[in-house]
Amino acid sequence: MDIVDKNVWFHYKSSLKVGEIERFIIKYDLYEGDEIPDDIVLDSLWLRIKNMEPLSYRAGYLMGPYILYTDLRSENYHHSQKIIASADQPKFEPNLQARQQKIEELSVHRIQKQYFWVVDVVSQILFATTSKVSFELSIAATKESIESKFIDILPSLATYSRKLQVTRLTTLDLWKLPPQLSIESHNHKPKHLIILTHGLHSNVTTDMEYIQEQIYKTQEKYPAEHLVVEGFPDNVCQTEKGVKYLGTRVAEYIVSNLYDNNTKKISFIGHSLGGLVQTFAIAYIAAKYPWFFQRVQPINFITMASPLLGIVTDNPAYIKLLLSFGVIGKTGQDLGLDQNPNDGEALLYLLPGDPVRTILSKFRRRTLYANVVNDGIVPLYTASLLFLDYDEILRTLRKSTDETISTESVTISDNTKFFNRNFVNPLTKMMSLWAPQKFPTEEDSKLPKVSILESATSILIPPLPDKAYIMDPDSRAPCIIHDKVYTEDDIPPGDEVEDNIYNSTNILLQPFTIEKRERAKYQKLEEAIARRWHQGLSWRKVIVKLKPDAHNNIITRRRFVNAYGWPVIDHMIDNHFNGEELFNEERYDELPELPISNEETKIPPEYEWLTRKDEESIFDVGPTGMISTMSEMLENFTQRQMVNNSNVHSDLKEEITNYEEFNNDLLH
């Protein structure tokens, strides 16, 4: 084949679905042999990543959105190291839209035999399992060549230089390769299974990949055991179907797919809704597979910005009404503390009882991470189980307001400014008339406020950290403002709660201290749930202050866009995966041989709420859940049409059947 431009050294075409990521490790040989050539030239290479979807797809947010996140960094980059040369600065693009391209310089600025760079390309699809974003990645020796329109006509995979080697890793590689790389040295070691659980409209494989990567870096601290980080990938686009549905699937996956006789420890890390999902999974396993927690030692139970008390009093009354009517499906009804007609109690009230309480008491550590500001999704009181020293936290906040709470160093893109000015701000002002406790005016406090609309917008149009924060660890102010273990003895009696919490003027409690009497019963229910969580259990509560978007920053959803969460993940790693717990092999040698069976166990009557089939409704899946179902049905229909287009009568009959099956799917 004739090469259009010999300065184009690499060209690759691919596509990503929801929850998919591709990593490209670029190796460039500056010179060959052991001696530096006299005529060596330090000419940079150039990288182009282009979103190949049609321009019209920019409007397809509900079926997509058809955008990509990309970042470029040197192989040895770590956020704890200060970057001196601007040429080594990481580059990232949070919102590569359809037909847009990103061109970056691969700087060759010092004499060294080899250069290595890492490029991540991440899908930003949220609601559809069948949609995909096509992209091209190209590398050229000159900027003129990388900007040439002729690159697009090259083959889907082509390498044209011996000096360049590109290794591509898929989502499966990134999640399964770390254990496989060390299979010989770890194969016979006891396994510590670490389960990551994602939240609403999220996924494990891309949104929690950063946490997975940081945990694996601690493997060298555990010479006697094998860390295995996993998560259930098939709840993606299913998150509106309720905590019970999601948690049951996670539990069955752990027992049937992840557990083996070598599994001796287990930890759980859940973000947002994932904290509730993993709690239900623990209860389900304990009731249905009672042998599991007799053979597997619970180590860490961690939630990160999880609505453990629901989200009722934090929102206006009409939001509660919408939740009950299924605006986010069965999950919304769970978070709205709706009573289950079979059990007579809200699911979130039942969760902190047995068997959860008994199993949680066996965990070495129980830790809650909660955002104090800038989280419009999950407020402080519900993520921290209500009982906190709010006055101390507020004092700490106000001491650092000027230097760490202000958003002056947050880079706001033009797209974000336009969207906020023309949509978010007017709507927020209008809604503040209806619910001032949720949308306070600027005069109420100097502390920043973020509405649920702004938090949702930040997922797609995120505020960006500034250059200094990325390059200089010394420029980062501490974000951990409260770290304390609370025991049952620290929980005040009911009369003190009435005086100190319900009547508090502390601004941090504004989402909880409402005045409308018709919703006062939910305050009492939330308090009761919080008390049940504390019965016989101690909790380490870590309160963090992060800049917007705090709800996604707290897990570093994207490596650089959500970089304000780096210290939180560092704190979690340092305190939960520091190698201090050496594996006690004798403890497991003394365990009796227990019968292991995946067959269904008879559930005790008091635990029947865990497996009882709830009454089904077409609203269980929610609007975005229906989008996912429709997209899957459309793809299946298209594939069948291509295979069976020779038999029109057969196709018609099949589609009638599919229509009936689709109606059944909506009810299930």
Side-chain angles (χ1 to χ4, degrees):
M1 171 184 173
D2 293 332
I3 300 177
V4 176
D5 188 341
K6 293 185 178 181
N7 285 320
V8 177
W9 288 358
F10 179 81
H11 184 70
Y12 182 74
K13 299 179 181 180
S14 187
S15 63
L16 297 171
K17 291 185 176 182
V18 61
E20 291 186 341
I21 176 175
E22 289 192 5
R23 176 168 295 170
F24 298 85
I25 301 175
I26 303 169
K27 174 188 173 185
Y28 172 57
D29 294 319
L30 182 60
Y31 61 89
E32 298 179 355
D34 297 328
E35 296 184 0
I36 302 174
D38 295 333
D39 57 349
I40 192 170
V41 177
L42 299 180
D43 289 336
S44 295
L45 305 183
W46 294 87
L47 170 77
R48 186 194 78 162
I49 302 173
K50 184 175 181 180
N51 186 328
M52 299 302 295
E53 295 303 316
L55 189 63
S56 59
Y57 279 30
R58 291 189 184 184
Y61 275 86
L62 291 181
M63 295 301 293
Y66 294 92
I67 59 178
L68 297 168
Y69 163 86
T70 68
D71 66 48
L72 164 68
R73 60 192 186 276
S74 61
E75 184 190 40
N76 58 357
Y77 171 82
H78 191 271
H79 62 264
S80 63
Q81 299 174 347
K82 186 174 183 177
I83 299 175
I84 304 299
S86 59
D88 294 327
Q89 177 185 352
K91 309 292 178 58
F92 58 97
E93 171 54 56
N95 192 22
L96 191 66
Q97 300 185 60
R99 305 310 297 178
Q100 284 187 338
Q101 65 180 24
K102 186 73 172 177
I103 295 178
E104 297 290 359
E105 181 180 8
L106 301 178
S107 178
V108 180
H109 55 283
R110 63 174 68 94
I111 297 178
Q112 58 188 50
K113 187 174 182 179
Q114 293 179 329
Y115 277 81
F116 290 90
W117 298 277
V118 179
V119 177
D120 281 350
V121 183
V122 183
S123 167
Q124 294 279 53
I125 293 174
L126 295 175
F127 304 125
T129 57
T130 59
S131 300
K132 60 183 179 181
V133 186
S134 301
F135 70 93
E136 293 183 354
L137 186 144
S138 310
I139 302 173
T142 66
K143 188 175 183 181
E144 292 75 18
S145 297
I146 205 68
E147 293 175 341
S148 171
K149 62 181 180 180
F150 297 108
I151 290 182
D152 294 341
I153 68 173
L154 293 174
S156 59
L157 176 59
T159 304
Y160 302 111
S161 174
R162 293 186 309 170
K163 302 177 68 176
L164 191 71
Q165 178 181 331
V166 181
T167 302
R168 169 179 166 264
L169 300 176
T170 65
T171 314
L172 190 62
D173 294 330
L174 294 173
W175 280 85
K176 300 300 182 183
L177 203 54
Q180 291 172 358
L181 281 175
S182 55
I183 192 169
E184 292 184 0
S185 59
H186 294 296
N187 192 34
H188 300 294
K189 293 180 180 179
K191 183 192 300 183
H192 182 174
L193 188 60
I194 302 158
I195 305 297
L196 307 184
T197 314
H198 63 83
L200 186 70
H201 299 152
S202 182
N203 64 81
V204 170
T205 43
T206 59
D207 294 352
M208 305 190 80
E209 191 275 335
Y210 180 84
I211 293 179
Q212 175 247 49
E213 190 175 285
Q214 301 310 306
I215 293 175
Y216 271 132
K217 289 180 179 179
T218 67
Q219 176 63 76
E220 62 183 14
K221 300 178 181 179
Y222 295 90
E225 63 187 77
H226 185 193
L227 302 183
V228 178
V229 187
E230 285 281 1
F232 180 57
D234 291 339
N235 274 342
V236 63
C237 295
Q238 306 284 320
T239 55
E240 295 185 351
K241 292 186 176 181
V243 172
K244 179 182 289 190
Y245 174 87
L246 302 170
T248 299
R249 287 158 62 86
V250 170
E252 293 287 359
Y253 184 73
I254 292 172
V255 175
S256 301
N257 296 78
L258 301 181
Y259 173 82
D260 57 30
N261 290 329
N262 215 27
T263 306
K264 304 301 182 182
K265 291 182 178 181
I266 192 166
S267 292
F268 292 86
I269 305 172
H271 174 237
S272 194
L273 179 67
L276 292 168
V277 172
Q278 72 181 18
T279 305
F280 188 93
I282 290 171
Y284 184 92
I285 292 173
K288 189 174 179 180
Y289 305 104
W291 53 264
F292 187 89
F293 286 110
Q294 297 176 41
R295 295 197 62 86
V296 182
Q297 182 184 8
I299 302 298
N300 299 303
F301 178 88
I302 303 169
T303 66
M304 310 190 77
S306 292
L308 300 173
L309 307 182
I311 54 172
V312 179
T313 58
D314 178 47
N315 286 294
Y318 70 89
I319 293 293
K320 163 61 180 159
L321 187 64
L322 291 174
L323 291 175
S324 296
F325 277 116
V327 68
I328 51 173
K330 187 67 171 65
T331 297
Q333 296 169 4
D334 291 338
L335 296 177
L337 302 181
D338 286 5
Q339 288 185 353
N340 187 300
N342 295 322
D343 306 310
E345 298 285 357
L347 178 64
L348 270 59
Y349 179 84
L350 294 172
L351 274 182
D354 275 331
V356 169
R357 188 181 298 131
T358 298
I359 300 302
L360 283 183
S361 67
K362 298 180 180 180
F363 277 80
R364 294 274 187 91
R365 287 176 287 266
R366 294 166 297 278
T367 307
L368 311 176
Y369 286 86
N371 287 309
V372 66
V373 290
N374 293 324
D375 189 337
I377 306 295
V378 178
L380 174 63
Y381 83 90
T382 185
S384 64
L385 295 178
L386 183 60
F387 299 109
L388 281 174
D389 189 342
Y390 289 93
D391 291 338
E392 178 187 333
I393 295 172
L394 186 58
R395 284 194 297 269
T396 305
L397 264 178
R398 284 178 169 161
K399 285 181 181 179
S400 57
T401 295
D402 293 336
E403 58 189 53
T404 61
I405 300 298
S406 69
T407 57
E408 292 178 354
S409 63
V410 178
T411 303
I412 308 296
S413 68
D414 292 337
N415 286 339
T416 305
K417 293 177 182 177
F418 176 83
F419 193 86
N420 288 343
R421 182 173 62 252
N422 293 280
F423 179 74
V424 174
N425 291 342
L427 191 56
T428 299
K429 291 178 180 179
M430 177 183 68
M431 296 176 74
S432 67
L433 299 176
W434 303 341
Q437 82 283 355
K438 178 59 184 170
F439 301 95
T441 61
E442 293 182 0
E443 291 78 12
D444 291 336
S445 172
K446 294 181 179 180
L447 296 179
K449 294 293 177 182
V450 178
S451 72
I452 191 171
L453 290 172
E454 291 171 306
S455 291
T457 303
S458 295
I459 297 176
L460 299 178
I461 312 176
L464 306 179
D466 61 11
K467 180 178 178 180
Y469 187 92
I470 298 293
M471 299 183 66
D472 185 5
D474 295 335
S475 70
R476 304 166 195 160
C479 70
I480 308 296
I481 66 168
H482 187 76
D483 186 351
K484 179 181 176 181
V485 176
Y486 289 78
T487 68
E488 188 175 9
D489 294 336
D490 295 317
I491 307 306
D495 54 346
E496 291 186 19
V497 172
E498 292 283 349
D499 295 337
N500 299 330
I501 292 185
Y502 285 93
N503 298 318
S504 174
T505 58
N506 190 307
I507 191 174
L508 300 179
L509 273 166
Q510 273 194 353
F512 184 75
T513 54
I514 61 172
E515 297 179 357
K516 294 185 178 181
R517 293 183 179 179
E518 64 268 22
R519 286 165 56 216
K521 66 176 183 178
Y522 289 108
Q523 284 182 315
K524 291 294 185 181
L525 179 55
E526 289 169 330
E527 180 190 341
I529 296 172
R531 289 188 180 278
R532 283 168 62 83
W533 278 109
H534 288 89
Q535 288 177 12
L537 298 173
S538 61
W539 292 93
R540 181 176 184 178
K541 300 182 181 183
V542 184
I543 311 304
V544 303
K545 54 173 177 53
L546 298 174
K547 295 178 181 178
D549 163 34
H551 193 67
N552 288 300
N553 288 344
I554 200 169
I555 60 164
T556 313
R557 177 176 177 266
R558 298 290 181 260
R559 184 182 302 270
F560 294 107
V561 170
N562 303 116
Y564 287 122
W566 288 344
V568 180
I569 305 304
D570 290 345
H571 182 278
M572 183 187 71
I573 297 296
D574 292 343
N575 287 276
H576 299 84
F577 301 96
N578 52 24
E580 292 180 357
E581 294 174 337
L582 298 180
F583 180 73
N584 186 354
E585 190 171 357
E586 295 180 358
R587 177 186 184 280
Y588 295 97
D589 289 342
E590 296 173 356
L591 280 175
E593 289 295 328
L594 298 172
I596 298 176
S597 174
N598 288 348
E599 296 181 2
E600 185 172 351
T601 303
K602 183 175 177 57
I603 304 295
E606 63 271 24
Y607 299 158
E608 287 182 354
W609 61 273
L610 289 164
T611 57
R612 183 185 295 118
K613 193 174 182 62
D614 292 337
E615 185 176 337
E616 296 171 344
S617 167
I618 193 173
F619 298 107
D620 286 354
V621 297
T624 57
M626 294 180 69
I627 291 171
S628 176
T629 304
M630 288 289 291
S631 66
E632 291 177 3
M633 187 188 72
L634 181 61
E635 181 175 6
N636 292 336
F637 170 75
T638 303
Q639 292 175 349
R640 287 193 298 271
Q641 285 291 92
M642 295 175 62
V643 174
N644 302 319
N645 59 4
S646 61
N647 191 333
V648 177
H649 178 72
S650 176
D651 284 347
L652 180 59
K653 182 178 179 180
E654 186 177 1
E655 289 314 311
I656 293 174
T657 303
N658 292 332
Y659 177 78
E660 295 173 350
E661 292 176 349
F662 171 61
N663 283 327
N664 290 333
D665 287 341
L666 289 180
L667 294 176
H668 287 79

